[in-house]
Amino acid sequence: MSAVVLGHLSDLHLDGGAAARDRVEAAVAHLARMAAGFTAVLVTGDVSDRGAAEDYETAGALLSSLPVPVLLVPGNHDDRAAFASGLLGRDGHVPGAPVDQVVVAGAVRFVLLDSTVPGEPWGRLAPESLALLAEAASTADGLPTVVAFHHPPVALGIPEIDAIRLRDADELASVVRAHERIVAVLCGHAHTAAAATFAGRPLRVAPGVRSTAALPGEPSVGAMVPGAPPAAAVHVLRDGDLVTHVRAFSGFPS
Ligand SMILES: [Fe+2]
Ligand SMILES: [Fe+2]
């Protein structure tokens, strides 16, 4: 199998202000320069800081400069209905329903799940989302499957973030263990790049575009690293092995 290369942005937190927008613009422009080799660009949630339709319009306009499919999952700061309508062209969102999608790109099946719990900062995957993952990973074509959602399913050693991670992750782990073709789990929410394993598969957490969370003991302001630039990950998937690169873009005020 030839390599599948995936750009990965997370936690844009667009809020109508220039600072957030400038950071997204810089990150997207950087990925756009590399995108000839990409299969897709994944955005793992918190696209808007406040769930505003205007922010999804801005995000859609900025991301449209990428010449590859853009795959999006919502985060806890997003509004399901506004996200679905503004970014996925899905109107008439049913209240309470997760915004889940299955997309095939570059001979990989991406299962894009909504781990948000409206009104809560922590996450949980609904039974129907887990069922969708199991069904997608059982498709007869046997394509490798990448699952993406916002909240990391493991503790990262950062207390503020660990307190609001994915709950009931055992249920997800059971589905992942039962389906060998799930080759990677990709998340955001932590605002800091991290690599781990989950249910025996590689788990990657994207760095934040809007800000970077401090590790314990690291100098911080409001739990964030002051002055940290926007950043992105680039994943290379080949024969079931995942290599992840991380890039930060200097020269940005926080
Ligand atoms: Fe975030
Ligand atoms: Fe988040």
Side-chain angles (χ1 to χ4, degrees), residues 11 13 46 76-77 150 189 191:
D11 296 272
H13 288 271
D46 285 354
N76 53 297
H77 281 260
H150 185 64
H189 187 52
H191 291 230

Side-chain angles (χ1 to χ4, degrees), residues 4-16:
V4 167
V5 184
L6 190 65
H8 187 180
L9 300 172
S10 199
D11 296 272
L12 315 185
H13 288 271
L14 289 163
D15 57 6

Side-chain angles (χ1 to χ4, degrees), residues 149-166:
F149 48 86
H150 185 64
H151 297 81
V154 301
L156 300 178
I158 306 172
E160 296 86 349
I161 293 163
D162 294 345
I164 55 171
R165 70 181 186 268
L166 190 81

